[in-house]
Amino acid sequence: MIKAPYLLFLGDAPDQLSAKVGQGIKDWRPERAVGQFRMPGCVADLGLPDMSLNEARSAGAKTLVIGVANRGGVISPEWKKTLIMALEEGFDLASGLHNLLRDEPDLVAVANATGHALHDVRVPHVPYPIAKGTKRSGKRCLTVGTDCSVGKMYTTLAMEREFRKRGLAATFRATGQTGILIDGVGVPLDAVVADFMAGSVEWLTPDNDDDHWDLLEGQGSLFHISYSGVTMALIHGGQPDALVLCHEPTRGHMRGLPDYGLPSLEALHELALRLARVANPACDATGIAINTAALAESEAQAYLKEVEGRMGLPTVDPFRHGVERLVDALTER
């Protein structure tokens, strides 16, 4: 169990999107976020108080959570001094990076000497099965994106909140490091051996009541050369009844791939639905979630209206304007 509350470590994050782990915890579990720790050169800012390790301990923080998701998921050598000091000053450490805390001999040595814990949430702890494709009871919705980091997790969490507000049965199913840190449970999908990824999604979304919705946190993108594999595992292992398409309209290229442009929403709709219907022929796209954070309000409203008219699906910014219409589309199926 990761002890709360947290001090969110942003390191030397070069942009706001690099701190998406910390941002997700701050937005969805604000009661756990005491403050942020930023190194010189850090561009990201969660809007939390900047704290030293000592100040955070005095404020009650028990765990330093690495709130950065860099390319490759590595522990930067520049972070090590702070991470070691945190252990020495009484913090546990928690990370969702591919580069595991437990694989760093210096961190392990200090953790053992101080009696503090190292939590790696991106480690599978279940012997997942190979997917069988057996139809399961209950309903499932999956968010799919034109790119990575376009709002798939935020959309899913917002939909779960709206379901529960209405007194309806729904469960957020975390499939990535940030979702697991927010919810406390889930499958670290990109750390599962490839042959078992789709099976792990089947395990995560078992038989349920007929009126219950599993809301699956999307990962990667079918169009992203680096991360399309996890998206395929979710599409086939999840057997979704509904897809919500997610997009961020201001990007010039795929995240981390400057030679690859973003696909259109039409291309995403056609490809994702065709692949989803391999496992569930009844799957439909039911809505579109647009991340308009980089647009002024008037620009955002105009863009949402244009996309909805073009695509014929309810189109919203979940964080800015709410997800009522996306949930309506599911409950009316």
Side-chain angles (χ1 to χ4, degrees):
M1 178 69 73
I2 300 175
K3 297 176 183 175
Y6 310 146
L7 174 64
L8 301 178
F9 175 77
L10 305 188
D12 49 2
D15 54 42
Q16 193 69 25
L17 196 53
S18 298
K20 67 176 187 177
V21 177
Q23 188 73 58
I25 294 171
K26 182 256 185 178
D27 287 342
W28 294 99
R29 296 293 184 268
E31 71 280 2
R32 298 183 189 174
V34 167
Q36 62 186 13
F37 185 104
R38 299 190 292 168
M39 294 171 57
C42 180
V43 174
D45 186 354
L46 305 180
L48 293 169
D50 286 295
M51 292 185 174
S52 66
L53 294 173
N54 185 59
E55 289 170 336
R57 283 292 290 166
S58 298
K62 294 179 172 61
T63 303
L64 182 75
V65 175
I66 296 178
V68 186
N70 54 24
R71 186 168 175 82
V74 298
I75 296 173
S76 167
E78 288 75 23
W79 301 352
K80 281 291 188 71
K81 182 179 179 180
T82 299
L83 299 182
I84 289 171
M85 286 176 58
L87 289 167
E88 292 173 338
E89 294 197 21
F91 288 87
D92 291 343
L93 299 183
S95 169
L97 298 172
H98 285 297
N99 184 177
L100 303 179
L101 297 170
R102 70 184 188 187
D103 289 341
E104 297 297 308
D106 48 357
L107 296 180
V108 172
V110 178
N112 289 338
T114 59
H116 292 292
L118 302 177
H119 298 282
D120 289 300
V121 303
R122 217 172 196 156
V123 176
H125 296 290
V126 174
Y128 299 119
I130 292 176
K132 295 182 179 179
T134 304
K135 181 63 178 175
R136 305 183 296 285
S137 58
K139 301 175 182 179
R140 289 158 192 85
C141 175
L142 171 66
T143 49
V144 292
T146 53
D147 193 8
C148 303
S149 305
V150 292
K152 297 184 290 293
M153 182 190 74
Y154 273 62
T155 299
T156 314
L157 282 164
M159 290 172 69
E160 182 198 41
R161 179 182 288 175
E162 180 62 22
F163 265 98
R164 293 188 175 184
K165 180 180 175 182
R166 300 183 186 191
L168 302 175
T171 304
F172 169 71
R173 300 296 189 181
T175 60
Q177 57 170 334
T178 309
I180 293 171
L181 283 166
I182 289 171
D183 203 51
V185 294
V187 169
L189 187 57
D190 59 8
V192 176
V193 174
D195 277 357
F196 302 95
M197 286 197 299
S200 73
V201 179
E202 288 188 350
W203 174 89
L204 185 65
T205 58
D207 285 311
N208 218 313
D209 295 336
D210 289 342
D211 62 349
H212 177 278
W213 279 94
D214 273 339
L215 304 172
L216 267 162
E217 177 193 6
Q219 296 292 333
S221 170
L222 290 170
F223 295 86
H224 201 291
I225 296 301
S226 306
Y227 309 121
S228 56
V230 289
T231 315
M232 279 299 305
L234 283 160
I235 287 175
H236 285 165
Q239 293 185 353
D241 299 281
L243 300 176
V244 173
L245 314 181
C246 301
H247 180 59
E248 201 280 89
T250 67
R251 294 189 188 176
H253 57 78
M254 300 292 281
R255 181 160 169 76
L257 299 176
D259 295 331
Y260 289 83
L262 263 68
S264 66
L265 278 163
E266 286 86 349
L268 174 63
H269 179 273
E270 189 276 331
L271 181 59
L273 202 54
R274 178 155 51 92
L275 291 170
R277 286 176 174 170
V278 171
N280 182 358
C283 183
D284 283 317
T286 58
I288 300 174
I290 305 292
N291 179 350
T292 66
L295 300 177
E297 178 64 20
S298 59
E299 294 174 311
Q301 293 286 1
Y303 185 81
L304 295 172
K305 182 178 180 180
E306 186 275 327
V307 169
E308 181 159 337
R310 192 175 83 234
M311 300 292 295
L313 292 170
T315 303
V316 303
D317 181 322
F319 203 64
R320 198 172 192 172
H321 304 127
V323 292
E324 290 86 353
R325 296 176 67 220
L326 299 184
V327 172
D328 288 344
L330 294 184
T331 58
E332 292 167 3
R333 280 176 57 84

